[in-house]
Amino acid sequence: MTIYGFHASQEQIAPSQLLRDVQHAETVGFQAAMSSDHFMPWSHRQGHSGFTLSWLGAALATTTFPVGSVIAPGQRYHPAIVAQATATLGEMFPGRYWAALGAGQAMNEHVTGELWMDKETRRRRLLECADIISRLHRGERIISHRGFVSVDDAYLYDRPEQPIPLYATCITPEAARLAATWAQGMITLNQPEDAQNEVLTAYREAGGEGPALLQVHLSWAQTREEAEAIAHDQWRTNVFGAPLDQDLPTPEHFDSAAAEVSLQTVAKAVWISAEPGQLTEWLGAAAEPGFDQIYLHHVGQEQRPWLDLAGEAILPDLKGA
């Protein structure tokens, strides 16, 4: 049976409020949660970016369901530090935390002042970092490593009995095929013309194992017009593909690039509806290609009305189906 989870958008909501939101999400019937991990938001209109690793400790301590997160090792986060942080979460909350590793985006990683690498080099760095994290999670002592990153005599003294799952973030079939060589699962997001299904197919055909996760961006309000306004205001900076979404460095750049983005364009990336039944139908169909977990992201900054609606009119039908 498909698991339906809540997506905690660090870029849009203050961490204190987002903590209350994830607690409420469990109360209304969501079965899991996941969190983004940003240093900067996509737009000044979003206006937040709490430190995810701190937030995760509070979220896991005050809920009982699984909570995972995306994270980009290699530049802003050294992989040994990622290994330590994620192993600590896994040790404190056994079986409830997973991490999805990605190659990162300039808007979050440029703050270190290091060179922003080209896409192919970033992918090779990700493979190296994933290997380092996995080895440390297994209890290996890494005496010396020199590559895209350097490690000198690293060992984790606190680890969960079972290493936490390391998934891969995948937007394209190419990335999914590469992920199949190392990841224990994959996560992608809804895309125009259901391109996410091609990503899943590529992962499975390349031998990819483990759960397949899908993040769905949606916008709901009491009226269609209000739902459209929320989506256009909050998510028009998030409709770009590579290389813009990977290489633009600041919210100012994204706001400038999105100045002329239309509602019609946003509607290709965000499922917009004022009808719970329509959203239920879309979400049910999204699971059919074989996604094991679907994380619902209402792109508005006020989550409670949406969470209440989902708990009353959407989740029961999805779980029943």
Side-chain angles (χ1 to χ4, degrees):
M1 183 177 292
T2 304
I3 292 172
Y4 291 93
F6 167 70
H7 174 70
S9 180
Q10 300 286 348
E11 313 91 277
Q12 296 181 276
I13 302 167
S16 56
Q17 179 58 53
L18 197 57
L19 182 61
R20 291 188 287 270
D21 290 339
V22 75
Q23 294 164 354
H24 192 57
E26 182 175 35
T27 299
V28 302
F30 281 91
Q31 300 158 288
M34 66 166 285
S35 174
S36 56
D37 186 332
H38 274 238
F39 192 88
M40 291 183 172
W42 301 94
S43 166
H44 279 299
R45 292 183 306 279
Q46 295 176 339
H48 297 281
S49 270
F51 185 51
T52 297
L53 289 168
S54 297
W55 183 88
L56 283 166
L60 285 159
T62 57
T63 60
T64 63
F65 60 11
V67 184
S69 72
V70 297
I71 192 165
Q75 187 160 328
R76 180 168 50 117
Y77 294 129
H78 190 284
I81 302 304
V82 171
Q84 183 188 30
T86 54
T88 295
L89 291 170
E91 194 279 336
M92 293 173 69
F93 309 102
R96 291 183 53 210
Y97 176 69
W98 52 262
L101 308 182
Q105 296 164 308
M107 66 184 304
N108 301 312
E109 311 304 322
H110 78 275
V111 296
T112 65
E114 299 173 66
L115 174 69
W116 180 239
M117 300 173 175
D118 63 85
K119 181 173 71 173
E120 182 56 35
T121 305
R122 294 197 306 272
R123 283 181 173 173
R124 288 190 283 125
R125 181 176 65 180
L126 173 60
L127 291 176
E128 179 181 309
C129 290
D131 180 64
I132 291 169
I133 295 167
S134 181
R135 289 164 62 191
L136 290 171
H137 278 182
R138 293 195 304 267
E140 181 177 339
R141 187 167 196 150
I142 300 179
I143 301 299
S144 180
H145 173 89
R146 297 292 181 269
F148 292 108
V149 298
S150 296
V151 180
D152 178 56
D153 200 0
Y155 176 78
L156 296 182
Y157 284 85
D158 286 296
R159 309 182 309 276
E161 291 186 8
Q162 296 295 324
I164 67 163
L166 297 179
Y167 302 155
T169 61
C170 306
I171 304 299
T172 66
E174 179 186 9
R177 285 187 285 270
L178 181 62
T181 66
W182 66 268
Q184 297 166 286
M186 59 84 72
I187 183 169
T188 189
L189 51 81
N190 65 301
Q191 301 180 56
E193 300 179 359
D194 291 331
Q196 68 271 9
N197 297 340
E198 299 175 15
V199 177
L200 175 58
T201 297
Y203 181 74
R204 294 302 189 203
E205 289 183 347
E209 299 180 346
L213 286 60
L214 175 67
Q215 179 188 358
V216 171
H217 303 303
L218 59 88
S219 182
W220 170 85
Q222 293 288 347
T223 67
R224 171 80 187 192
E225 291 74 18
E226 185 181 358
E228 290 175 342
I230 290 171
H232 191 247
D233 177 72
Q234 284 293 296
W235 218 246
R236 66 177 180 267
T237 47
N238 298 63
V239 299
F240 307 115
L244 283 184
D245 66 334
Q246 298 173 11
D247 294 343
L248 293 180
T250 68
E252 291 88 348
H253 287 84
F254 277 92
D255 280 330
S256 178
E260 303 301 325
V261 170
S262 67
L263 174 61
Q264 289 71 27
T265 298
V266 175
K268 295 178 181 179
V270 179
W271 297 353
I272 303 172
S273 180
E275 301 297 331
Q278 179 68 82
L279 291 170
T280 301
E281 181 181 340
W282 287 339
L283 290 164
E288 291 179 1
F291 286 103
D292 304 290
Q293 302 176 32
I294 298 181
Y295 290 85
L296 283 55
H297 173 210
H298 168 51
V299 300
Q301 292 184 294
E302 186 179 1
Q303 292 291 308
R304 194 176 186 95
W306 151 249
L307 292 172
D308 288 339
L309 180 281
E312 294 169 4
I314 295 178
L315 294 178
D317 287 346
L318 289 172
K319 293 175 183 178

Short mmCIF file of all heavy atoms in Angstrom, two decimals, residues 9-14 38 40-49 107 230-238 251 254-255 297 299-301:
data_model
loop_
_atom_site.label_atom_id
_atom_site.label_comp_id
_atom_site.label_asym_id
_atom_site.label_seq_id
_atom_site.Cartn_x
_atom_site.Cartn_y
_atom_site.Cartn_z
N SER A 9 8.60 22.19 3.70
CA SER A 9 9.37 23.08 2.83
C SER A 9 10.09 24.13 3.67
O SER A 9 9.50 25.14 4.07
CB SER A 9 8.43 23.75 1.82
OG SER A 9 9.15 24.61 0.96
N GLN A 10 11.37 23.90 3.92
CA GLN A 10 12.15 24.81 4.74
C GLN A 10 12.26 26.20 4.14
O GLN A 10 12.44 27.19 4.86
CB GLN A 10 13.56 24.24 4.96
CG GLN A 10 13.60 22.89 5.64
CD GLN A 10 13.30 22.96 7.13
OE1 GLN A 10 13.26 24.02 7.73
NE2 GLN A 10 13.05 21.80 7.73
N GLU A 11 12.15 26.30 2.81
CA GLU A 11 12.32 27.59 2.13
C GLU A 11 11.13 28.52 2.31
O GLU A 11 11.22 29.72 2.02
CB GLU A 11 12.53 27.40 0.63
CG GLU A 11 13.53 26.34 0.23
CD GLU A 11 12.85 24.99 0.04
OE1 GLU A 11 12.65 24.30 1.06
OE2 GLU A 11 12.54 24.63 -1.11
N GLN A 12 10.01 27.99 2.73
CA GLN A 12 8.77 28.76 2.74
C GLN A 12 8.23 29.07 4.13
O GLN A 12 7.37 29.94 4.27
CB GLN A 12 7.68 28.00 1.96
CG GLN A 12 7.99 27.82 0.49
CD GLN A 12 6.86 27.08 -0.19
OE1 GLN A 12 6.82 25.85 -0.17
NE2 GLN A 12 5.92 27.81 -0.76
N ILE A 13 8.68 28.35 5.13
CA ILE A 13 8.05 28.42 6.46
C ILE A 13 9.14 28.47 7.53
O ILE A 13 10.12 27.72 7.47
CB ILE A 13 7.13 27.20 6.67
CG1 ILE A 13 6.06 27.14 5.57
CG2 ILE A 13 6.47 27.25 8.05
CD1 ILE A 13 5.30 25.84 5.51
N ALA A 14 8.96 29.34 8.50
CA ALA A 14 9.92 29.43 9.61
C ALA A 14 10.02 28.09 10.32
O ALA A 14 9.02 27.39 10.48
CB ALA A 14 9.48 30.52 10.59
N HIS A 38 17.87 23.66 2.44
CA HIS A 38 18.34 24.81 1.68
C HIS A 38 19.12 25.77 2.55
O HIS A 38 18.87 25.87 3.76
CB HIS A 38 17.14 25.57 1.08
CG HIS A 38 16.68 25.05 -0.24
ND1 HIS A 38 16.62 25.82 -1.38
CD2 HIS A 38 16.28 23.82 -0.61
CE1 HIS A 38 16.18 25.09 -2.39
NE2 HIS A 38 15.96 23.87 -1.95
N MET A 40 19.37 28.96 1.08
CA MET A 40 18.60 30.12 0.62
C MET A 40 17.27 29.65 0.03
O MET A 40 17.19 28.54 -0.49
CB MET A 40 19.37 30.91 -0.45
CG MET A 40 20.59 31.65 0.06
SD MET A 40 21.35 32.63 -1.27
CE MET A 40 22.58 33.53 -0.33
N PRO A 41 16.24 30.49 0.09
CA PRO A 41 14.98 30.14 -0.57
C PRO A 41 15.07 30.38 -2.07
O PRO A 41 16.02 30.99 -2.57
CB PRO A 41 13.98 31.09 0.09
CG PRO A 41 14.80 32.30 0.41
CD PRO A 41 16.16 31.78 0.79
N TRP A 42 14.05 29.92 -2.77
CA TRP A 42 13.99 30.13 -4.22
C TRP A 42 13.62 31.57 -4.57
O TRP A 42 13.87 32.03 -5.67
CB TRP A 42 12.95 29.20 -4.83
CG TRP A 42 13.18 27.75 -4.62
CD1 TRP A 42 12.66 26.98 -3.62
CD2 TRP A 42 13.96 26.87 -5.42
NE1 TRP A 42 13.08 25.67 -3.74
CE2 TRP A 42 13.87 25.57 -4.85
CE3 TRP A 42 14.73 27.05 -6.58
CZ2 TRP A 42 14.52 24.47 -5.39
CZ3 TRP A 42 15.37 25.96 -7.11
CH2 TRP A 42 15.27 24.68 -6.52
N SER A 43 12.98 32.26 -3.62
CA SER A 43 12.47 33.60 -3.89
C SER A 43 12.40 34.38 -2.58
O SER A 43 12.20 33.80 -1.51
CB SER A 43 11.06 33.52 -4.51
OG SER A 43 10.41 34.78 -4.49
N HIS A 44 12.55 35.72 -2.68
CA HIS A 44 12.37 36.55 -1.49
C HIS A 44 10.94 36.44 -0.96
O HIS A 44 10.70 36.65 0.24
CB HIS A 44 12.71 38.01 -1.81
CG HIS A 44 14.19 38.28 -1.78
ND1 HIS A 44 14.95 38.12 -0.65
CD2 HIS A 44 15.03 38.72 -2.74
CE1 HIS A 44 16.21 38.44 -0.92
NE2 HIS A 44 16.29 38.79 -2.18
N ARG A 45 9.98 36.11 -1.82
CA ARG A 45 8.61 35.95 -1.36
C ARG A 45 8.46 34.74 -0.44
O ARG A 45 7.55 34.70 0.39
CB ARG A 45 7.66 35.83 -2.56
CG ARG A 45 7.53 37.10 -3.40
CD ARG A 45 6.51 36.90 -4.52
NE ARG A 45 6.82 35.73 -5.32
CZ ARG A 45 7.73 35.71 -6.29
NH1 ARG A 45 8.43 36.80 -6.56
NH2 ARG A 45 7.95 34.61 -6.99
N GLN A 46 9.32 33.76 -0.60
CA GLN A 46 9.29 32.60 0.29
C GLN A 46 9.93 32.95 1.63
O GLN A 46 9.37 32.72 2.69
CB GLN A 46 9.99 31.42 -0.37
CG GLN A 46 9.26 30.93 -1.62
CD GLN A 46 10.00 29.82 -2.33
OE1 GLN A 46 11.21 29.63 -2.15
NE2 GLN A 46 9.29 29.06 -3.15
N GLY A 47 11.14 33.47 1.60
CA GLY A 47 11.70 34.17 2.73
C GLY A 47 12.17 33.37 3.94
O GLY A 47 12.30 33.93 5.03
N HIS A 48 12.47 32.07 3.78
CA HIS A 48 12.95 31.27 4.90
C HIS A 48 14.02 30.30 4.42
O HIS A 48 14.19 30.07 3.23
CB HIS A 48 11.81 30.50 5.56
CG HIS A 48 10.76 31.38 6.16
ND1 HIS A 48 10.90 32.00 7.38
CD2 HIS A 48 9.54 31.78 5.67
CE1 HIS A 48 9.84 32.73 7.64
NE2 HIS A 48 8.99 32.61 6.63
N SER A 49 14.74 29.72 5.36
CA SER A 49 15.67 28.62 5.10
C SER A 49 16.34 28.22 6.41
O SER A 49 17.50 28.52 6.66
CB SER A 49 16.73 28.98 4.04
OG SER A 49 16.30 28.65 2.75
N MET A 107 22.58 27.72 -5.58
CA MET A 107 21.96 28.65 -4.64
C MET A 107 22.24 28.26 -3.19
O MET A 107 22.25 29.12 -2.30
CB MET A 107 20.45 28.70 -4.87
CG MET A 107 19.73 27.41 -4.56
SD MET A 107 17.96 27.46 -4.94
CE MET A 107 17.43 28.86 -4.00
N ILE A 230 -1.88 31.44 -5.12
CA ILE A 230 -0.86 30.88 -4.23
C ILE A 230 0.25 30.24 -5.05
O ILE A 230 1.44 30.45 -4.80
CB ILE A 230 -1.49 29.86 -3.26
CG1 ILE A 230 -2.39 30.57 -2.25
CG2 ILE A 230 -0.41 29.06 -2.55
CD1 ILE A 230 -3.22 29.62 -1.41
N ALA A 231 -0.12 29.42 -6.01
CA ALA A 231 0.86 28.72 -6.82
C ALA A 231 1.75 29.69 -7.58
O ALA A 231 2.98 29.54 -7.61
CB ALA A 231 0.16 27.77 -7.80
N HIS A 232 1.15 30.71 -8.19
CA HIS A 232 1.94 31.66 -8.98
C HIS A 232 2.85 32.50 -8.10
O HIS A 232 4.00 32.77 -8.45
CB HIS A 232 1.01 32.56 -9.80
CG HIS A 232 1.73 33.36 -10.82
ND1 HIS A 232 1.84 34.73 -10.75
CD2 HIS A 232 2.41 32.99 -11.94
CE1 HIS A 232 2.53 35.18 -11.78
NE2 HIS A 232 2.88 34.13 -12.52
N ASP A 233 2.37 32.90 -6.94
CA ASP A 233 3.17 33.71 -6.04
C ASP A 233 4.35 32.93 -5.47
O ASP A 233 5.49 33.44 -5.45
CB ASP A 233 2.31 34.22 -4.89
CG ASP A 233 3.10 35.01 -3.88
OD1 ASP A 233 3.50 36.15 -4.19
OD2 ASP A 233 3.35 34.50 -2.77
N GLN A 234 4.11 31.69 -5.05
CA GLN A 234 5.12 30.95 -4.31
C GLN A 234 6.00 30.05 -5.16
O GLN A 234 7.12 29.73 -4.77
CB GLN A 234 4.44 30.11 -3.23
CG GLN A 234 3.98 30.89 -2.04
CD GLN A 234 5.13 31.46 -1.23
OE1 GLN A 234 5.93 30.72 -0.66
NE2 GLN A 234 5.25 32.78 -1.20
N TRP A 235 5.52 29.63 -6.33
CA TRP A 235 6.25 28.57 -7.02
C TRP A 235 6.69 28.92 -8.43
O TRP A 235 7.21 28.08 -9.14
CB TRP A 235 5.43 27.28 -7.00
CG TRP A 235 6.30 26.07 -6.81
CD1 TRP A 235 6.53 25.07 -7.70
CD2 TRP A 235 7.10 25.75 -5.65
NE1 TRP A 235 7.40 24.15 -7.18
CE2 TRP A 235 7.77 24.55 -5.92
CE3 TRP A 235 7.32 26.39 -4.42
CZ2 TRP A 235 8.63 23.96 -4.99
CZ3 TRP A 235 8.16 25.80 -3.50
CH2 TRP A 235 8.81 24.61 -3.80
N ARG A 236 6.52 30.17 -8.85
CA ARG A 236 6.93 30.48 -10.23
C ARG A 236 8.44 30.52 -10.39
O ARG A 236 8.95 30.46 -11.52
CB ARG A 236 6.29 31.78 -10.71
CG ARG A 236 6.74 33.07 -10.02
CD ARG A 236 6.04 34.25 -10.71
NE ARG A 236 6.37 35.55 -10.17
CZ ARG A 236 5.67 36.18 -9.22
NH1 ARG A 236 4.60 35.58 -8.70
NH2 ARG A 236 6.03 37.38 -8.81
N THR A 237 9.20 30.60 -9.30
CA THR A 237 10.66 30.53 -9.40
C THR A 237 11.14 29.08 -9.44
O THR A 237 12.36 28.84 -9.54
CB THR A 237 11.30 31.24 -8.20
OG1 THR A 237 10.65 30.82 -7.00
CG2 THR A 237 11.18 32.75 -8.35
N ASN A 238 10.24 28.11 -9.36
CA ASN A 238 10.63 26.70 -9.28
C ASN A 238 10.28 25.91 -10.53
O ASN A 238 10.20 24.68 -10.47
CB ASN A 238 9.95 26.05 -8.07
CG ASN A 238 10.36 26.67 -6.76
OD1 ASN A 238 10.09 27.84 -6.52
ND2 ASN A 238 11.01 25.90 -5.90
N PRO A 251 18.36 34.11 -4.54
CA PRO A 251 16.93 34.38 -4.77
C PRO A 251 16.70 35.52 -5.74
O PRO A 251 15.73 35.49 -6.52
CB PRO A 251 16.41 34.71 -3.37
CG PRO A 251 17.34 34.02 -2.45
CD PRO A 251 18.69 34.08 -3.09
N PHE A 254 16.75 34.11 -9.20
CA PHE A 254 15.54 33.35 -9.51
C PHE A 254 14.34 34.28 -9.69
O PHE A 254 13.52 34.07 -10.60
CB PHE A 254 15.26 32.33 -8.40
CG PHE A 254 16.05 31.05 -8.55
CD1 PHE A 254 17.27 30.91 -7.93
CD2 PHE A 254 15.55 30.00 -9.31
CE1 PHE A 254 18.00 29.74 -8.06
CE2 PHE A 254 16.27 28.83 -9.45
CZ PHE A 254 17.51 28.69 -8.83
N ASP A 255 14.22 35.31 -8.84
CA ASP A 255 13.11 36.24 -8.99
C ASP A 255 13.18 36.97 -10.32
O ASP A 255 12.15 37.20 -10.98
CB ASP A 255 13.11 37.24 -7.83
CG ASP A 255 12.50 36.67 -6.57
OD1 ASP A 255 11.61 35.80 -6.66
OD2 ASP A 255 12.92 37.08 -5.47
N HIS A 297 3.18 18.23 -1.14
CA HIS A 297 3.69 19.56 -0.82
C HIS A 297 2.70 20.62 -1.30
O HIS A 297 2.65 20.93 -2.48
CB HIS A 297 5.06 19.79 -1.50
CG HIS A 297 5.56 21.19 -1.34
ND1 HIS A 297 6.36 21.80 -2.29
CD2 HIS A 297 5.37 22.12 -0.35
CE1 HIS A 297 6.64 23.03 -1.90
NE2 HIS A 297 6.05 23.25 -0.73
N VAL A 299 2.06 24.19 -1.84
CA VAL A 299 3.07 25.23 -2.01
C VAL A 299 2.73 26.54 -1.31
O VAL A 299 3.48 27.51 -1.40
CB VAL A 299 3.36 25.49 -3.51
CG1 VAL A 299 3.87 24.22 -4.18
CG2 VAL A 299 2.12 26.02 -4.23
N GLY A 300 1.62 26.59 -0.60
CA GLY A 300 1.30 27.77 0.20
C GLY A 300 2.12 27.83 1.47
O GLY A 300 2.63 26.82 1.95
N GLN A 301 2.20 29.01 2.06
CA GLN A 301 2.96 29.18 3.29
C GLN A 301 2.13 28.87 4.54
O GLN A 301 2.68 28.59 5.59
CB GLN A 301 3.54 30.59 3.36
CG GLN A 301 4.62 30.83 2.32
CD GLN A 301 5.26 32.19 2.42
OE1 GLN A 301 4.60 33.21 2.19
NE2 GLN A 301 6.52 32.24 2.77
#
